[in-house]
Amino acid sequence: MEKGRGVVVVAALQFACSDDVSSNVDTAERLVRAAHGKGANIVLIQELFEGYYFCQAQREDFFQRAKPYNGHPTIQRMQKLARELRVVIPVSFFEEANNAHYNSVAMIDADGTDLGLYRKSHIPDGPGYQEKFYFNPGDTGFKVFETKFAKIGLAICWDQWFPEAARAMVLQGAEILFYPTAIGSEPQDQGLDSRDHWKRVMQGHAGANLVPLVASNRIGKERIKTEHGDSEITFYGNSFIAGPSGEIVAIANDKDEDVLVAEFDLDKIKSKRHSWGVFRDRRPDLYKALLTLDGSNKDL
């Protein structure tokens, strides 16, 4: 059945990564094809899917995993796939830019066109998630990409904990929010499980902004060897798709490979968003404290 104007099908992929680039990209392509077979127009692959989540440990040799944006082989392969299937694919990768390094996503439109780059803005630094060793803070700002099927706001993993990022993207016209992710157990505290907190925060972004939201996380146990001992994370999956009131409409478990899909009528959601009044009643003149680190409400 032909979809009406504004109707889009989104997909979230979830899979375990090996530490072999070719194998992981093959898996990503297989699941993108599966999502397309389920009618998906926009398919989200998880964060840094080319290999293990190497940021568990600080190793000098891991910088060799980075590649320049221009001519990146995985991006080029996904461009070809997007063009063949007529689907939109955000592609996460470890970017080398001269002496800078970024956790980045290239947005590939349904005709294979590269619409541009987003570089992760918020960079975490904690046990098992030592990204500040590898990544410069992103300098692109929060961006919205106008794809064939929707205006997309896209941010990466730790960005998803910040309501300011979600609001900034929707203020720029984002109709759907996408978050490629790598999150799981905490090496320093095996009793800490953030999965429910993680979901609720993003459900809040969807509900507060009245937009659908797609989060794609990895699964599996990954061990990184270092000279000071090994680090291990068990990624908890739970990839999900939320509707515009924050309701979860599709969710994966914590162990199995999965392809989630959900259909949304963006025109109906737009009407609801406008009539709900949360954007009409915003008071940017009162939000100066958000532009400071210490919360002071001083003139800027």
Side-chain angles (χ1 to χ4, degrees), residues 69-218:
Y69 173 36
N70 292 328
H72 193 290
T74 298
I75 295 174
Q76 291 180 331
R77 180 169 170 181
M78 290 298 157
Q79 285 181 277
K80 181 179 178 182
L81 182 64
R83 186 164 51 246
E84 176 193 341
L85 302 180
R86 310 299 290 176
V87 297
V88 175
I89 309 174
V91 183
S92 172
F93 70 105
F94 183 13
E95 181 193 1
E96 177 185 291
N98 295 321
N99 288 306
H101 294 82
Y102 299 99
N103 187 337
S104 300
V105 171
M107 181 63 71
I108 308 305
D109 206 355
D111 62 358
T113 301
D114 185 345
L115 297 179
L117 189 69
Y118 170 70
R119 290 168 168 165
K120 187 173 183 175
S121 301
H122 304 94
I123 310 298
D125 185 26
Y129 302 90
Q130 300 179 53
E131 295 194 15
K132 278 188 168 66
F133 181 75
Y134 296 100
F135 306 131
N136 296 80
D139 57 1
T140 58
F142 302 113
K143 300 175 72 172
V144 172
F145 299 90
E146 185 150 9
T147 73
K148 175 178 173 63
F149 301 107
K151 294 179 181 177
I152 290 177
L154 185 137
I156 303 170
C157 201
W158 189 231
D159 288 332
Q160 66 207 172
W161 295 88
F162 296 84
E164 299 90 342
R167 177 53 56 89
M169 290 185 284
V170 180
L171 282 173
Q172 293 177 74
E175 298 173 292
I176 314 173
L177 298 177
F178 289 83
Y179 292 96
T181 302
I183 189 169
S185 60
E186 304 288 337
Q188 84 285 4
D189 183 357
Q190 293 302 312
L192 180 59
D193 188 338
S194 63
R195 73 186 71 191
D196 290 336
H197 185 187
W198 174 75
K199 287 179 284 193
R200 284 193 294 266
V201 167
M202 284 185 284
Q203 288 176 258
H205 299 336
N209 292 288
L210 286 97
V211 294
L213 183 149
V214 183
S216 181
N217 189 25
R218 65 176 68 197

Side-chain angles (χ1 to χ4, degrees), residues 193-254:
D193 188 338
S194 63
R195 73 186 71 191
D196 290 336
H197 185 187
W198 174 75
K199 287 179 284 193
R200 284 193 294 266
V201 167
M202 284 185 284
Q203 288 176 258
H205 299 336
N209 292 288
L210 286 97
V211 294
L213 183 149
V214 183
S216 181
N217 189 25
R218 65 176 68 197
I219 51 171
K221 184 178 292 185
E222 298 180 14
R223 179 175 293 172
I224 298 294
K225 296 184 179 298
T226 78
E227 60 185 21
H228 306 295
D230 296 352
S231 177
E232 184 177 277
I233 293 177
T234 300
F235 294 92
Y236 55 58
N238 278 248
S239 302
F240 72 94
I241 301 172
S245 61
E247 75 281 18
I248 290 181
V249 298
I251 187 165
N253 65 26
D254 62 355

Side-chain angles (χ1 to χ4, degrees), residues 287-298:
Y287 303 156
K288 292 179 181 178
L290 297 179
L291 301 179
T292 69
L293 290 175
D294 63 1
S296 60
N297 207 2
K298 59 193 176 188

Side-chain angles (χ1 to χ4, degrees), residues 239-291:
S239 302
F240 72 94
I241 301 172
S245 61
E247 75 281 18
I248 290 181
V249 298
I251 187 165
N253 65 26
D254 62 355
K255 293 182 175 66
D256 296 321
E257 180 177 291
D258 211 342
V259 176
L260 305 176
V261 296
E263 180 176 294
F264 297 104
D265 187 325
L266 299 182
D267 290 334
K268 287 184 178 179
I269 294 171
K270 179 180 180 180
S271 294
K272 177 66 72 175
R273 184 165 58 249
H274 289 179
S275 66
W276 202 249
V278 294
F279 287 92
R280 178 197 65 208
D281 295 339
R282 291 185 68 253
R283 291 292 307 277
D285 54 313
L286 302 181
Y287 303 156
K288 292 179 181 178
L290 297 179
L291 301 179

